[in-house]
Amino acid sequence: MSTTSSAVPFTDEELTRIRADFPILERTVRDGKPLVYLDSGATSQKPFVVLDAEREFYERHNSAVHRGAHQLSEEGTELYEQARATVAGFVGTQPDEVVFTKNATEGLNLAAYAFSNATAGGGGGAGSRFALGPGDEVLVTEMEHHANLIPWQELTRRTGATLRWVPVTDEGRLDLTDLGDLLTERTKVFAFTHASNVLGTVNPARELADKAHAVGALAVLDACQSVPHLPVDVTDLGVDLAAWSGHKMLGPLGIGVLWGRPEILDEMPVFLTGGSMIETVTMEGSTYAPVPQKFEAGVPMAAQAIGLGVAAQYLGELGMDRVAAHEEVLTAHLLKELAQRPWVRVVGPGAGADRGGTVAFVVDGVHAHDVGQVLDADGVAVRVGHHCAWPLHRRFGVAATTRATVAAYTTLGEIDAMLASLDRVPEMFGVDA
């Protein structure tokens, strides 16, 4: 990761109190086995306060926010905008720079469609910087999640621009050797992940954003695996746009965030159109509301946004520096133990700086799905497959990996439980241990 301050991990007593906030961690699976949840990179579990906030909205304030003059709508609108302010504060920015989306995928598509809408000459935006055509380039990296790859593939297909990418080293880090040849005056946007959802690599976002700006390109950040786990100030990162998911940061499903610098959001053409995002409408044409409403067409997902605001407050009270310190201890322990099993091969960097709590590995000769089934039979929940990063797996010559991911509520005992279950794999599948 490594931690960016002198923060200490949670004590055992603190961790016990944290885990008591998450009701699902009390359940059993697979014939009464305790649930060992190591799939927080896919989606995190939710504390009582988030569940209660959603329920309270539906029980006391349910209304179409920003759409009514009655008391319920006023209350719902106030709670919705309070949530926006809380989320903004959590990442060091201002409320009018936070756009609520369905998820991070929608946020990244919103950014990509802004370019193609500008190219088509529509969408209510003023920014020529968003117009692409033949000769222009979009730069991504080989470690991107499909959500930060396919929208840019489609953008270049629609506009005639060219897609290029930064390769990944054998260690699992970006190979920046030839970045000067890849990032040129032809580059209009550089989209990259802050933390890989497979490798655990934490990329130098500020450095990459500065290099993008030096050639006039916009920097777009996938922050799905960083905002829930590290202290993140989006303005300090220097990027122009950043997207992340609510459900990965203890919040509800169905809510995400697209943050943008004010001047960028003002210039961006709209993506979805309809109610709530308009200023005036005639049969001949329309004008659009200011940011952020400009990008929030339709009835907002108020309950989910309110739940996300509470999740951000909960994480803020834990202290993101302490969350990061806790996860660093867990990750170092897991990597150390896996290194002592010669039949396991970790895909990604070893423990140390710029390394997050995502650990993907391969048991040579055993498919990841089979490894996952062994773990699941013991109540251990991990992710298996290509993790929506197919090109990255091809880069490392593997069809699939087993991935363990940690969160603020994960314990060392859970890591050890996974390792004990993993140790059953060689004998079951005839692997030389």
Side-chain angles (χ1 to χ4, degrees):
M1 210 161 302
S2 69
T3 51
T4 55
S5 71
S6 58
V8 297
F10 301 124
T11 65
D12 290 343
E13 292 77 14
E14 288 173 319
L15 190 53
T16 297
R17 289 196 296 270
I18 291 169
R19 288 179 63 82
D21 290 336
F22 294 81
I24 200 169
L25 300 181
E26 295 295 320
R27 70 159 294 180
T28 59
V29 294
R30 302 300 184 202
D31 300 321
K33 296 180 178 65
L35 171 65
V36 175
Y37 190 75
L38 295 174
D39 197 21
S40 294
T43 193
S44 62
Q45 299 302 340
K46 324 303 175 191
F48 278 114
V49 289
V50 170
L51 303 175
D52 291 344
E54 284 195 272
R55 183 180 182 89
E56 183 179 14
F57 172 80
Y58 286 124
E59 288 184 340
R60 294 184 53 81
H61 313 290
N62 187 40
S63 57
V65 306
H66 281 299
R67 288 188 173 223
H70 54 78
Q71 181 173 339
L72 292 183
S73 183
E74 290 175 355
E75 291 171 352
T77 299
E78 182 177 1
L79 290 168
Y80 181 73
E81 292 303 330
Q82 283 177 356
R84 193 193 306 276
T86 301
V87 171
F90 182 69
V91 294
T93 188
Q94 300 301 313
D96 59 0
E97 300 170 15
V98 168
V99 176
F100 285 131
T101 61
K102 181 175 64 179
N103 46 40
T105 300
E106 183 177 84
L108 292 165
N109 272 273
L110 191 163
Y113 269 93
F115 282 89
S116 57
N117 286 351
T119 302
S128 60
R129 74 175 86 193
F130 293 97
L132 272 76
D136 292 324
E137 295 180 354
V138 174
L139 183 64
V140 295
T141 84
E142 198 174 20
M143 66 170 64
E144 297 309 311
H145 187 285
H146 295 165
N148 202 30
L149 171 60
I150 298 172
W152 306 110
Q153 289 178 339
E154 286 295 297
L155 171 64
T156 55
R157 182 186 62 80
R158 289 191 299 268
T159 61
T162 299
L163 183 73
R164 306 185 76 185
W165 54 89
V166 179
V168 172
T169 67
D170 290 343
E171 186 192 7
R173 301 199 180 275
L174 293 180
D175 185 349
L176 302 178
T177 307
D178 298 321
L179 186 61
D181 295 329
L182 293 168
L183 193 59
T184 71
E185 70 280 354
R186 296 184 299 276
T187 310
K188 299 300 281 287
V189 58
F190 183 14
F192 54 90
T193 186
H194 195 185
S196 170
N197 74 309
V198 177
L199 305 169
T201 308
V202 178
N203 289 319
R206 182 75 203 210
E207 175 188 346
L208 299 179
D210 288 347
K211 290 182 181 298
H213 293 156
V215 298
L218 293 178
V220 179
L221 186 72
D222 173 358
C224 285
Q225 299 294 340
S226 59
V227 167
H229 305 287
L230 302 170
V232 171
D233 184 317
V234 288
T235 57
D236 282 350
L237 293 178
V239 296
D240 300 292
L241 297 165
W244 65 93
S245 301
H247 71 96
K248 296 181 190 295
M249 56 174 287
L250 314 186
L253 296 162
I255 186 75
V257 176
L258 177 69
W259 168 84
R261 291 197 288 118
E263 64 274 24
I264 299 298
L265 292 177
D266 284 341
E267 293 181 22
M268 277 177 57
V270 297
F271 173 31
L272 299 174
T273 57
S276 295
M277 52 75 65
I278 48 82
E279 183 178 59
T280 61
V281 178
T282 68
M283 291 306 297
E284 291 75 27
S286 303
T287 60
Y288 302 134
V291 176
Q293 279 74 30
K294 168 183 172 182
F295 297 109
E296 295 181 4
V299 175
M301 53 290 254
Q304 292 92 329
I306 291 164
L308 178 57
V310 172
Q313 182 177 358
Y314 181 92
L315 283 170
E317 291 172 353
L318 290 182
M320 290 308 298
D321 54 348
R322 298 199 67 199
V323 170
H326 173 67
E327 294 186 14
E328 184 177 3
V329 170
L330 297 172
T331 306
H333 177 67
L334 176 54
L335 289 170
K336 177 183 176 182
E337 289 295 322
L338 291 178
Q340 296 177 27
R341 290 160 169 82
W343 41 275
V344 173
R345 178 163 51 98
V346 172
V347 180
D354 302 324
R355 216 291 181 205
T358 296
V359 178
F361 59 89
V362 174
V363 178
D364 286 320
V366 183
H367 197 283
H369 289 175
D370 293 324
V371 175
Q373 281 194 325
V374 173
L375 300 183
D376 182 54
D378 291 334
V380 180
V382 295
R383 177 87 180 268
V384 296
H386 54 66
H387 318 306
C388 296
W390 217 333
L392 181 61
H393 279 72
R394 287 198 182 97
R395 158 66 180 84
F396 285 95
V398 295
T401 56
T402 303
R403 186 188 73 179
T405 47
V406 300
Y409 45 71
T410 307
T411 69
L412 281 170
E414 289 181 305
I415 300 295
D416 289 337
M418 189 205 79
L419 292 165
S421 183
L422 184 64
D423 285 340
R424 299 200 300 118
V425 170
E427 182 178 358
M428 290 185 67
F429 292 94
V431 173
D432 186 5

